[in-house]
Amino acid sequence: MKSNIDLLLVIAKLGAIDQKVSLTTTDISKKSGFSQQTASRKLISLAKHGLIERYPNNRGVEVELTHKGKGHLKQKYFQLKKLLEKKKLVIKAVVSTGLGEGKYYIRKKDYYKQFIEKLKIKPFAGTLNLEVDNDSIAKIKSVPKIIVNGFKDQNRSFGNIDCYRCTLKNTLSYIIFPERSSHPSDIIEVISEVNFRQKFGFKDNQVAEIYL
Amino acid sequence: MKSNIDLLLVIAKLGAIDQKVSLTTTDISKKSGFSQQTASRKLISLAKHGLIERYPNNRGVEVELTHKGKGHLKQKYFQLKKLLEKKKLVIKAVVSTGLGEGKYYIRKKDYYKQFIEKLKIKPFAGTLNLEVDNDSIAKIKSVPKIIVNGFKDQNRSFGNIDCYRCTLKNTLSYIIFPERSSHPSDIIEVISEVNFRQKFGFKDNQVAEIYL
DNA sequence: ATTACTAGAACACGAGTAA
DNA sequence: TTTACTCGTGTTCTAGTAA
């Protein structure tokens, strides 16, 4: 989809960011500079991509940004913030116990080889799980993504892993999002060459700062 | 021009925001997802619109964002900031003595009528001049613009005036940009129903906060 | 009043390739 | 190697209107 972030921003500014708002496609066309027809078509497209919820009726359209739509705006915001304020984004995260999924993935040779090649680290065979607030995900996704490709072994297929470079305790690390993760969306996994729990004495519920 | 702000952001992230950077259109195409040809064409277009400076040579392109290009990014940034952080933008401004241009404009009946209709104020027949830093202009331009139309009288023609709603000393006010102003770009003019110098004792060099 | 379909025009895209 | 032109194709636009 062609990034219709400009139209999303127009709709958000009309108030649809945290509540349903009654608009007309003509309102939107005036604010956006598109024709009424194009506003209508784009609205349908945004809804199809899950960025807004849309309830047309015979007096206009009720519109509200979805969580995902708001996420897109936040992502753009954090990109600009990092760029223009010239300082790193920081995430406050809480150490937690995960499912051990990451550990399983890291040990797969096809992934491991790519971690070394693409991420330039020889990862410790375990991950640190952290709980973050919702804006954090948008912050993470605002920095360049490195994709570690999936593969198939004789038993099953493995999906891509999206990796985002960061530092934790001044240590080069990566936040990893396996394509088909069963993690709740506010838990992230971090890999690096070190065992954070051992080297830095990390315990559950302890707060850590991640720099992007 | 179709807002190529996404490509501008890509270029800025490649380092072209406060210095010239040697790039190739292939670099840009990889980072942006467009083809090399499209990256080249868009670069030419950005330069034509004054958003970047571009020096192609036989080993690539040297690129740097112009002041205007950087302003576009800042504008988008402040739009998102205001929206997502749900608080007003604030500008620190220094009271200064202007040219008396604004006073002359306000008294023109065709403008005055529009001020009443479109801005819902009966402006005091004078303006407050303030000196602001450069980011402030981007902040101002990130909020909705109200256009007061120009006109012709028997002697000369008058251009449009761009008006931006704000509050100063809790007073509904508007920052006005006459289309053909001889103001330096870091001086703004504010109109409202009150005489700020009289009512609030404003003196030159005093700092004032403007909320957008 | 609305939304949104159809149709044709305008525009943007990238493959091929010249310079 | 570059940049960037031409040109064929596909996408996106808006005017006219149906519902």
Side-chain angles (χ1 to χ4, degrees):
Chain A
M1 167 198 197
K2 192 197 108 182
S3 125
N4 267 321
I5 211 141
D6 285 319
L7 194 69
L8 207 58
L9 181 52
V10 166
I11 296 164
K13 283 172 135 185
L14 289 168
I17 191 155
D18 34 31
Q19 57 186 309
K20 255 185 281 186
V21 171
S22 292
L23 303 171
T24 68
T25 50
T26 307
D27 294 341
I28 297 169
S29 77
K30 276 178 192 151
K31 291 280 178 185
S32 67
F34 293 113
S35 66
Q36 175 275 322
Q37 294 88 335
T38 297
S40 169
R41 192 166 28 75
K42 280 179 181 286
L43 230 48
I44 292 168
S45 164
L46 286 175
K48 201 167 72 190
H49 288 87
L51 302 181
I52 61 167
E53 283 180 7
R54 171 179 151 276
Y55 308 97
N57 58 50
N58 58 359
R59 283 178 6 271
V61 205
E62 285 201 307
V63 179
E64 179 172 11
L65 265 69
T66 60
H67 184 80
K68 184 175 171 186
K70 207 168 160 181
H72 277 222
L73 291 182
K74 282 183 187 166
Q75 218 172 297
K76 188 69 67 178
Y77 172 58
F78 289 123
Q79 281 179 36
L80 287 163
K81 182 178 184 123
K82 188 179 176 190
L83 182 77
L84 293 170
E85 298 198 344
K86 292 185 194 2
K87 54 186 183 194
K88 299 199 169 198
L89 299 171
V90 53
I91 294 173
K92 287 214 192 307
V94 178
V95 176
S96 70
T97 295
L99 307 166
E101 270 190 338
K103 191 182 297 192
Y104 174 65
Y105 284 127
I106 291 176
R107 292 176 179 183
K108 287 282 163 189
K109 210 164 56 181
D110 294 79
Y111 281 143
Y112 191 75
K113 273 159 57 184
Q114 289 184 71
F115 286 146
I116 294 173
E117 278 164 33
K118 295 185 177 172
L119 308 187
K120 325 284 187 209
I121 59 168
K122 290 173 123 136
F124 164 73
T127 64
L128 183 68
N129 285 260
L130 300 135
E131 190 180 334
V132 296
D133 68 26
N134 176 55
D135 276 8
S136 303
I137 303 295
K139 281 183 194 171
I140 294 165
K141 296 194 171 171
S142 78
V143 306
K145 167 166 64 178
I146 300 169
I147 299 174
V148 164
N149 299 119
F151 59 91
K152 280 185 190 184
D153 67 8
Q154 56 262 61
N155 302 311
R156 52 164 285 202
S157 72
F158 293 80
N160 291 347
I161 302 179
D162 293 344
C163 307
Y164 299 89
R165 175 193 260 261
C166 65
T167 59
L168 175 50
K169 286 283 180 188
N170 277 314
T171 307
L172 170 62
S173 309
Y174 290 87
I175 298 161
I176 61 170
F177 291 100
E179 201 171 70
R180 292 184 288 272
S181 168
S182 46
H183 272 299
S185 67
D186 56 348
I187 300 280
I188 61 168
E189 290 193 83
V190 173
I191 63 171
S192 78
E193 298 204 340
V194 310
N195 178 345
F196 284 110
R197 286 186 185 263
Q198 193 173 86
K199 179 161 180 189
F200 299 105
F202 276 167
K203 299 267 181 282
D204 278 3
N205 300 317
Q206 184 177 339
V207 173
E209 289 189 333
I210 300 171
Y211 292 88
L212 291 165
Chain B
M1 167 196 199
K2 191 197 109 185
S3 125
N4 268 319
I5 211 142
D6 285 318
L7 194 69
L8 208 58
L9 182 52
V10 166
I11 296 164
K13 283 172 139 183
L14 288 168
I17 191 155
D18 35 31
Q19 58 187 308
K20 255 186 279 185
V21 171
S22 291
L23 303 171
T24 68
T25 50
T26 306
D27 294 341
I28 297 169
S29 78
K30 276 177 192 151
K31 291 279 178 187
S32 67
F34 293 112
S35 68
Q36 175 274 324
Q37 292 89 333
T38 297
S40 169
R41 195 160 25 76
K42 281 181 181 286
L43 230 49
I44 293 169
S45 165
L46 286 174
K48 201 167 73 189
H49 288 88
L51 303 181
I52 61 167
E53 284 181 7
R54 170 181 152 275
Y55 307 98
N57 58 52
N58 56 1
R59 285 181 1 272
V61 204
E62 286 201 307
V63 179
E64 178 172 13
L65 265 70
T66 60
H67 184 80
K68 184 175 171 186
K70 205 168 162 181
H72 276 223
L73 290 182
K74 283 182 187 167
Q75 220 172 296
K76 188 70 67 177
Y77 172 59
F78 289 123
Q79 282 179 35
L80 286 163
K81 182 180 185 119
K82 188 179 177 190
L83 182 78
L84 294 170
E85 298 198 345
K86 291 186 191 7
K87 54 186 183 193
K88 300 200 168 197
L89 298 171
V90 53
I91 294 172
K92 288 213 193 305
V94 178
V95 175
S96 69
T97 295
L99 308 167
E101 269 190 339
K103 190 182 298 190
Y104 173 65
Y105 284 127
I106 291 175
R107 292 176 177 182
K108 286 282 164 189
K109 211 164 57 181
D110 295 79
Y111 282 143
Y112 191 77
K113 273 159 59 184
Q114 290 184 72
F115 287 146
I116 294 172
E117 279 163 31
K118 295 185 178 174
L119 309 186
K120 326 284 187 208
I121 60 169
K122 290 174 123 136
F124 165 72
T127 64
L128 184 67
N129 286 260
L130 299 135
E131 189 179 333
V132 295
D133 69 26
N134 176 55
D135 276 7
S136 303
I137 304 295
K139 282 184 192 169
I140 294 164
K141 295 195 171 169
S142 78
V143 306
K145 166 166 65 178
I146 301 169
I147 299 174
V148 164
N149 300 118
F151 58 92
K152 281 184 188 183
D153 68 8
Q154 55 264 59
N155 303 310
R156 52 164 283 199
S157 72
F158 292 81
N160 291 346
I161 302 178
D162 293 344
C163 306
Y164 299 89
R165 175 193 262 260
C166 64
T167 59
L168 175 49
K169 287 283 181 189
N170 278 314
T171 307
L172 170 62
S173 309
Y174 290 87
I175 298 161
I176 61 170
F177 292 99
E179 202 170 69
R180 292 184 289 272
S181 168
S182 45
H183 272 300
S185 66
D186 58 347
I187 300 281
I188 61 169
E189 290 194 82
V190 174
I191 63 170
S192 80
E193 297 203 339
V194 310
N195 177 346
F196 284 109
R197 287 186 183 262
Q198 192 174 87
K199 181 163 179 188
F200 298 105
F202 276 166
K203 299 268 182 279
D204 279 4
N205 301 315
Q206 183 176 340
V207 174
E209 288 189 336
I210 300 172
Y211 292 88
L212 291 164

